[in-house]
């Protein structure tokens, strides 16, 4: 990814560096949110089917 997006590796300004850090936090939060929703969905299916 660094070859495709050099801006992510070496941000030119402090504002861009903050944005890049926030973006990585956002993608991590999105990933964990999807995992939690998947687990909750399986639990709801388990409760409904019994």
């Amino acid at each position: 990814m660094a070859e495709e997006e050099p801006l992510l590796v070496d941000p030119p300004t402090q504002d861009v560096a903050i944005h890049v850090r926030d973006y990585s936090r956002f993608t991590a939060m999105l990933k964990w949110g999807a995992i939690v929703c998947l687990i909750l969905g399986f639990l709801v299916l388990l409760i409904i089917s019994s």
Side-chain angles (χ1 to χ4, degrees):
M1 184 169 82
E3 297 82 23
E4 297 173 8
E5 296 290 338
L7 185 66
L8 298 176
V9 176
D10 188 27
T13 65
Q14 184 67 24
D15 289 337
V16 175
I18 291 171
H19 175 71
V20 168
R21 189 179 67 234
D22 287 344
Y23 180 74
S24 64
R25 287 182 191 169
F26 172 73
T27 54
M29 180 185 68
L30 194 64
K31 177 184 76 172
W32 286 109
I35 291 170
V36 167
C37 286
L38 181 69
I39 292 169
L40 286 175
F42 279 129
L43 288 173
V44 167
L45 267 172
L46 187 69
I47 291 170
I48 289 174
S49 67
S50 49

